[in-house]
Amino acid sequence: MEPEEYLVMRYKSKKPSNKAEAECYEKLEAKGWSVLHKGWPDFFCTRNGELCCVEVKPRDTIHAGCYQNAILHELSKHGIRCYVWSPAAGFTRCK
């Protein structure tokens, strides 16, 4: 069994009850991502050997906090694609 297959089998998240997170979860799955972890960042996702992290905000007027931005920036520096997502704004890539 490949490591990615093991992660998906062992850690695949259930659809969240939070409305914004559930909408984002559905969009990620529709794009072929397996959502492996719900926590911080809200979603840790994998697809065919790729990784991405997504922080979900219920409205585009709510921004990621300083700590969240710092972590997303550090992950991005190491080649992991990171996004902040809201229903109104969609996916915004962190750099």
Side-chain angles (χ1 to χ4, degrees):
M1 178 181 299
E2 293 294 316
E4 184 175 344
E5 292 173 309
Y6 174 78
L7 287 172
V8 170
M9 182 179 70
R10 177 106 164 90
Y11 297 106
K12 185 164 178 7
S13 292
K14 295 178 183 169
K15 184 176 168 183
S17 57
N18 174 291
K19 184 179 176 184
E21 288 183 6
E23 186 177 340
C24 181
Y25 180 96
E26 290 170 356
K27 290 186 182 302
L28 288 164
E29 283 204 323
K31 292 181 180 215
W33 290 97
S34 293
V35 181
L36 300 181
H37 174 73
K38 184 181 175 310
W40 195 94
D42 290 314
F43 298 127
F44 180 81
C45 308
T46 184
R47 177 182 67 190
N48 300 322
E50 299 175 85
L51 297 174
C52 83
C53 294
V54 181
E55 180 63 28
V56 178
K57 297 299 174 189
R59 294 181 299 283
D60 61 341
T61 56
I62 298 175
H63 303 285
C66 283
Y67 178 74
Q68 292 171 328
N69 279 325
I71 297 298
L72 291 170
H73 176 72
E74 283 301 313
L75 290 169
S76 293
K77 282 186 356 185
H78 294 283
I80 298 173
R81 289 183 293 164
C82 297
Y83 301 89
V84 174
W85 182 89
S86 72
F91 292 95
T92 302
R93 184 139 185 205
C94 302
K95 296 182 180 185

